[in-house]
Amino acid sequence: MTPSKDRKKTARPFAQMALASDEGPRNGNGQKRNVPTMNQSSNHKLALFNRHVKNPLLTAADWPYPVNTVFNAAATLLQDGRTLLLCRVEDHRGHSHLCAARSKNGIDGWEIDSKPTMMPEPDDFPEELWGIEDPRITFVPELGKYAIIYTAFSAGGPCVSLALTEDFQTFDRYGDIMPPEDKDAALLPRRIGNYWALIHRPVSAQGAHIWISYSPDLRHWGSHRMILEARRGAWWDAGKIGLSPPPIETPQGWLCLYHGVRRTAAGSLYRLGMALFDLQRPEECILRGNSWIFGPEEPYERYGDVDNVVFPCGYTLGSDGDTLRLYYGGADTCIALATASVRKLLEWLEQNGKPTVKTLE
């Protein structure tokens, strides 16, 4: 389903009309019967995030050239204070590329590159044959550059690729740094000891879990270790998990928002949870929450090319060091924004998390 100006205008009124409708279940006397709704915004855990009133911020209707959908954007603050979103843009072949949008306030007034910012280059990088997707941006002070970790869609499946840039105009591609099947990756902004650290999500016979790997030069990776395991059974994050935006460095540890995928009779359901990892030994999980904290609820999250998906790839932090702006893809069809307090996220995790969570719980 391609976003359009008409859809953008009608989605919310339709939802409001449905809520205001007098139709609904009635008892034997013809009186309306109160039925609990599925709206989860009253859940105190989900109130950790507040959706922006201008959602969705960006759709295909905003793009300066023809595209199918726009979603799953990386985010960073530029030196001039503007917010940059590096958006995944899918064309009408089904292949994706990356395009930058810049805004002074990170909400509206977006200036979108008139042509793709970063296109696949399959002649030099054959792993990019079917497109490049779902970037995460980390500014690396030691290098004075932005590291873009993205998914390259190769003939052998998705793999993790790396590019460095100073200006989001020219890119130094390192190529694939993790073989297929692997994705949902981000670089930590500083070395751990003498090594760079990459969090990623390989898929193997063991399942789809979150791992960490280390490198002396950003090219050669080893010391691979699983750090967060997908649970089993009826859990919201059973079977498949993956890192969402890059980890947030806090005094308490690396705060990671991750997505869990629950497969239902109606399809997959993507929601967010939290875990905290040791600052100096990020392979050690300190706390993991049992409940999801953010899930698809609004029409732009529930209906689109892929229904029932919230998928963040980027965030920015306010000047107070606490205000978190989370940019996420809604239903693989648009880009939306939710805000939160890092302090409150940590407080919730301290109250509701466990040091270890067995997969068979």
Side-chain angles (χ1 to χ4, degrees):
M1 182 185 297
T2 303
S4 66
K5 293 182 179 178
D6 290 339
R7 179 172 183 261
K8 198 172 182 181
K9 292 177 181 176
T10 59
R12 191 176 297 276
F14 175 82
Q16 292 170 342
M17 180 172 61
L19 289 173
S21 172
D22 191 51
E23 296 299 322
R26 297 179 181 272
N27 60 24
N29 297 322
Q31 297 174 322
K32 283 193 67 175
R33 178 162 50 90
N34 292 325
V35 177
T37 68
M38 294 302 292
N39 188 333
Q40 297 166 343
S41 61
S42 60
N43 187 316
H44 71 282
K45 294 185 290 296
L46 296 187
L48 288 169
F49 286 92
N50 297 300
R51 292 168 173 83
H52 200 277
V53 295
K54 291 191 175 182
N55 279 350
L57 301 187
L58 290 167
T59 73
D62 300 303
W63 239 245
Y65 54 90
V67 301
N68 177 43
T69 54
V70 178
F71 55 113
N72 296 5
T76 192
L77 287 175
L78 301 174
Q79 291 184 352
D80 61 8
R82 289 183 298 168
T83 297
L84 179 140
L85 298 184
L86 191 60
C87 311
R88 174 180 173 180
V89 178
E90 185 183 280
D91 62 27
H92 288 94
R93 301 174 302 164
H95 295 196
S96 293
H97 60 267
L98 307 181
C99 186
R102 299 168 178 85
S103 167
K104 291 182 179 179
N105 61 13
I107 297 169
D108 54 20
W110 295 98
E111 298 177 1
I112 303 169
D113 284 356
S114 60
K115 59 183 180 180
T117 306
M118 188 174 173
M119 284 289 289
E121 295 182 359
D123 290 341
D124 295 324
F125 301 93
E127 68 276 4
E128 298 181 359
L129 176 65
W130 292 327
I132 54 178
E133 309 173 349
D134 299 353
R136 277 83 168 175
I137 297 172
T138 301
F139 181 71
V140 183
E142 179 181 331
L143 304 177
K145 297 179 180 179
Y146 300 90
I148 305 169
I149 306 291
Y150 59 96
T151 299
F153 196 172
S154 74
C159 59
V160 175
S161 290
L162 165 66
L164 298 178
T165 186
E166 295 180 12
D167 54 12
F168 291 95
Q169 297 178 15
T170 59
F171 302 90
D172 179 15
R173 277 170 156 98
Y174 279 47
D176 56 323
I177 57 175
M178 291 290 168
E181 179 176 347
D182 205 335
K183 61 193 310 185
D184 298 332
L187 187 72
L188 295 189
R190 58 176 176 81
R191 295 177 188 260
I192 304 299
N194 296 320
Y195 296 91
W196 301 106
L198 180 81
I199 296 178
H200 55 115
R201 202 282 307 284
V203 176
S204 66
Q206 288 182 298
H209 313 294
I210 298 177
W211 289 60
I212 194 168
S213 300
Y214 293 94
S215 170
D217 57 7
L218 295 176
R219 294 185 182 276
H220 305 92
W221 296 86
S223 300
H224 312 292
R225 183 171 175 180
M226 185 190 301
I227 61 172
L228 201 68
E229 190 173 359
R231 286 179 269 218
R232 306 180 190 179
W235 285 87
W236 70 273
D237 55 356
K240 184 179 179 181
I241 60 173
L243 182 69
S244 286
I248 304 166
E249 187 171 6
T250 75
Q252 291 89 335
W254 297 101
L255 179 62
C256 288
L257 299 175
Y258 72 94
H259 58 267
V261 184
R262 182 172 185 177
R263 294 179 176 87
T264 75
S268 295
L269 178 58
Y270 282 72
R271 293 178 287 208
L272 297 185
M274 280 193 296
L276 188 69
F277 296 86
D278 187 85
L279 279 180
Q280 302 308 320
R281 295 180 56 84
E283 65 271 17
E284 294 185 2
C285 182
I286 301 171
L287 291 170
R288 181 185 188 177
N290 279 345
S291 305
W292 75 82
I293 57 171
F294 190 67
E297 178 182 325
E298 294 293 327
Y300 55 84
E301 301 160 350
R302 298 195 62 198
Y303 308 110
D305 270 14
V306 182
D307 292 347
N308 294 315
V309 174
V310 292
F311 198 93
C313 286
Y315 71 86
T316 62
L317 276 181
S319 57
D320 59 2
D322 181 63
T323 302
L324 177 72
R325 284 185 169 182
L326 187 70
Y327 294 91
Y328 64 97
D332 280 15
T333 303
C334 64
I335 296 171
L337 169 63
T339 58
S341 160
V342 173
R343 175 180 54 81
K344 290 183 179 178
L345 293 177
L346 289 169
E347 288 175 355
W348 181 92
L349 194 54
E350 181 67 31
Q351 294 169 5
N352 297 277
K354 290 185 178 180
T356 59
V357 179
K358 296 180 180 178
T359 59
L360 292 179
E361 283 188 337

